[in-house]
Amino acid sequence: MARSARSTTVEGPPMRVPPLRRAALSLAVAACLLPLTAAPAAADSPPAASFVFITQYLDGSGHQSVHTLECDPDGGTHHAATFACDVLRSVDGDLAAVPPLYDPCYAEPQPMRAIAVGYWHGRRVHHGLIASDPCDLMSRGGGVFPVP
């Protein structure tokens, strides 16, 4: 006797995922995907450093972006990978020591949170910033944090 499949439909408003939980989930997914996005320079030599950057607007829109960065060799989806790696090399991978860029700009307030996780020559790195707008993120992040 064949059994028929049953489906249950639940009516109601869409489920709302809190922004912090959504960012954590995105970070976990991105961390899992990072090894898949890496294009090794040679079969035996993985990059000396790799990072995942997640930027999330705090205006309730849910807009976020994910970028990868690899150094030695430089690459990834970061829009200025060589520049970012040069800055990181100058501070030995210490994102808290990245000097700000003093590039005056005037932008409409768009609060955002940026998180970077990864490895620098075997050392685990985690750093976050809260910025008032994309220009503030670019300036305070020293050009290392990608702007969505």
Side-chain angles (χ1 to χ4, degrees), residues 56-91:
Q56 178 185 29
Y57 285 92
L58 300 177
D59 60 2
S61 69
H63 176 73
Q64 62 186 20
S65 64
V66 177
H67 294 86
T68 60
L69 175 66
E70 299 166 356
C71 300
D72 302 323
D74 302 350
T77 61
H78 193 290
H79 63 278
T82 300
F83 176 81
C85 287
D86 286 346
V87 171
L88 287 169
R89 281 188 277 270
S90 75
V91 296

Side-chain angles (χ1 to χ4, degrees), residues 25-42:
L25 178 61
S26 297
L27 184 60
V29 169
C32 292
L33 294 177
L34 181 61
L36 300 177
T37 63

Side-chain angles (χ1 to χ4, degrees), residues 1-123:
M1 173 196 293
R3 293 168 55 174
S4 63
R6 286 184 141 175
S7 66
T8 304
T9 304
V10 177
E11 297 289 327
M15 186 171 82
R16 184 150 166 81
V17 178
L20 189 55
R21 183 172 289 168
R22 187 173 37 240
L25 178 61
S26 297
L27 184 60
V29 169
C32 292
L33 294 177
L34 181 61
L36 300 177
T37 63
D44 299 33
S45 60
S50 63
F51 294 91
V52 174
F53 294 91
I54 297 177
T55 306
Q56 178 185 29
Y57 285 92
L58 300 177
D59 60 2
S61 69
H63 176 73
Q64 62 186 20
S65 64
V66 177
H67 294 86
T68 60
L69 175 66
E70 299 166 356
C71 300
D72 302 323
D74 302 350
T77 61
H78 193 290
H79 63 278
T82 300
F83 176 81
C85 287
D86 286 346
V87 171
L88 287 169
R89 281 188 277 270
S90 75
V91 296
D92 193 30
D94 184 359
L95 284 162
V98 170
L101 295 176
Y102 292 104
D103 187 15
C105 59
Y106 306 95
E108 186 176 317
Q110 295 176 305
M112 52 188 10
R113 168 185 20 235
I115 301 168
V117 294
Y119 291 91
W120 180 262
H121 296 277
R123 185 178 74 235

